[in-house]
């Protein structure tokens, strides 16, 4: 299972100050709570799937690709400006160099190459079985 995330801003404690949030109204709180809920949902889905695959001794068959430290305009899903698209490309290129997980020392780039080979090998195996 290859799970592709859209990215999150999960460092909420570093994003907002107490002084700033003390002045917020209901609308501002609702927007931030929605982002927190979205991030929590993403984390819980990843945790659940990772746990299931580990329990089946198949953790190499699950890869979650997600940037959890988006900043600035890269967090805006409705910003399709050329500058933001270039920023998102840079985010993706930087993500490829990061470790795939705390438990997995391989980078995302290495993990994606391994995963692509695994999928290709399985497709070839199915094609060979189908030809008999």
């Amino acid at each position: 299972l290859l799970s592709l995330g859209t990215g999150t801003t999960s460092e909420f404690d570093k994003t907002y100050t107490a002084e700033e949030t003390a002045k917020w109204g209901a609308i501002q709180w609702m927007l931030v709570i929605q982002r927190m809920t979205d991030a929590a949902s993403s984390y819980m889905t990843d945790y659940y799937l990772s746990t299931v695959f580990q329990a089946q001794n198949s953790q190499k068959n699950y890869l979650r690709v997600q940037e959890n430290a988006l900043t600035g305009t890269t967090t805006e899903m409705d910003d399709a400006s050329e500058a933001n698209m270039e920023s998102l490309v840079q985010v993706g290129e930087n993500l490829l160099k990061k470790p795939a997980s705390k438990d997995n020392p391989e980078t995302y780039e290495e993990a994606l190459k391994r995963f692509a080979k695994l999928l290709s090998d399985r497709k070839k195996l199915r094609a060979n079985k189908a030809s008999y």
Side-chain angles (χ1 to χ4, degrees), residues 36-97:
M36 288 179 178
T37 303
D38 291 345
S41 175
S42 176
Y43 279 122
M44 290 310 299
T45 300
D46 178 37
Y47 177 78
Y48 173 73
L49 289 170
S50 179
T51 302
V52 168
F53 276 84
Q54 286 177 16
Q56 299 296 318
N57 200 25
S58 299
Q59 54 268 38
K60 292 285 186 183
N61 293 333
Y62 173 69
L63 178 61
R64 172 73 174 169
V65 179
Q66 168 95 335
E67 175 57 74
N68 290 315
L70 292 177
T71 59
T73 60
T74 61
T75 63
E76 304 299 326
M77 290 199 176
D78 62 349
D79 185 350
S81 67
E82 190 172 331
N84 197 45
M85 293 294 106
E86 289 173 10
S87 295
L88 288 169
V89 167
Q90 189 61 51
V91 166
E93 289 173 355
N94 292 341
L95 184 62
L96 288 172
K97 296 172 180 69

